[in-house]
Amino acid sequence: TNRLNVTKIVTQMPASTRFAVAVHILTLLALQDEALTSDYIAGSVSTNPVVVRRILGALKQAGLVTAAHGPRGGFTLAVAAREINLRAVYEAVEERNVIAIHGNPNPQCPVGRTIENILGGVTNRAEEAMLRDLAATSLAKLVGQVQRRNAGAC
């Protein structure tokens, strides 16, 4: 029964969707010739505008989007889509490592004493591989895929 409880807890931990939503937002902005409001973007993402505004704030702080105020205001890309790589997006919106390591193992246990260092090396290499792949993928590449599959319609 203990194994079932651990499995239940692990499967209930939500994965972050900030990166996926940020890429959706940036792709949408890249496909538009005009500034988009957070309400419009939220309709495309199918989420609350508050969620979109939080992510747009992080993207703005990272220099990936700009905001204009007023009646024709909204968000646009700050740089060309070809200049934005997915690593920059990931680092702008995600706050934690891909694979978290629990921080309080029992130091009296032989596994508890050593597992963080051992597992840390493995997870660091895995995360670096992911970040290298994200850095090699531009937003423009995703925009092109969306255009080919949907003729750019949203």
Side-chain angles (χ1 to χ4, degrees):
T1 60
N2 194 16
R3 176 174 277 182
L4 293 176
N5 290 338
V6 171
T7 302
K8 184 176 180 182
I9 291 169
V10 170
T11 58
Q12 290 177 351
M13 292 178 180
S16 171
T17 60
R18 287 186 297 268
F19 174 70
V21 171
V23 171
H24 183 135
I25 290 168
L26 292 170
T27 303
L28 183 64
L29 292 175
L31 288 167
Q32 302 301 314
D33 292 330
E34 60 189 41
L36 300 178
T37 66
S38 57
D39 287 336
Y40 179 88
I41 296 167
S44 177
V45 177
S46 195
T47 192
N48 189 302
V50 172
V51 172
V52 168
R53 282 191 285 276
R54 283 189 193 129
I55 292 174
L56 282 164
L59 295 172
K60 183 178 178 200
Q61 187 173 6
L64 301 175
V65 300
T66 59
H69 301 287
R72 297 185 150 237
F75 293 88
T76 58
L77 291 182
V79 295
R82 69 181 173 280
E83 296 176 27
I84 299 172
N85 69 60
L86 297 186
R87 180 178 182 158
V89 178
Y90 179 83
E91 290 175 341
V93 299
E94 291 295 343
E95 299 173 357
R96 60 182 177 177
N97 295 338
V98 176
I99 303 170
I101 299 174
H102 68 95
N104 197 19
N106 181 350
Q108 304 304 315
C109 170
V111 174
R113 267 193 306 274
T114 58
I115 196 65
E116 286 183 327
N117 288 332
I118 295 167
L119 190 55
V122 173
T123 60
N124 287 340
R125 287 190 303 275
E127 185 161 333
E128 279 303 315
M130 180 201 71
L131 292 173
R132 275 192 307 275
D133 192 53
L134 291 175
T137 306
S138 72
L139 179 64
K141 180 178 181 178
L142 299 183
V143 169
Q145 291 173 350
V146 168
Q147 288 173 321
R148 283 189 297 280
R149 292 183 185 187
N150 299 314
C154 289

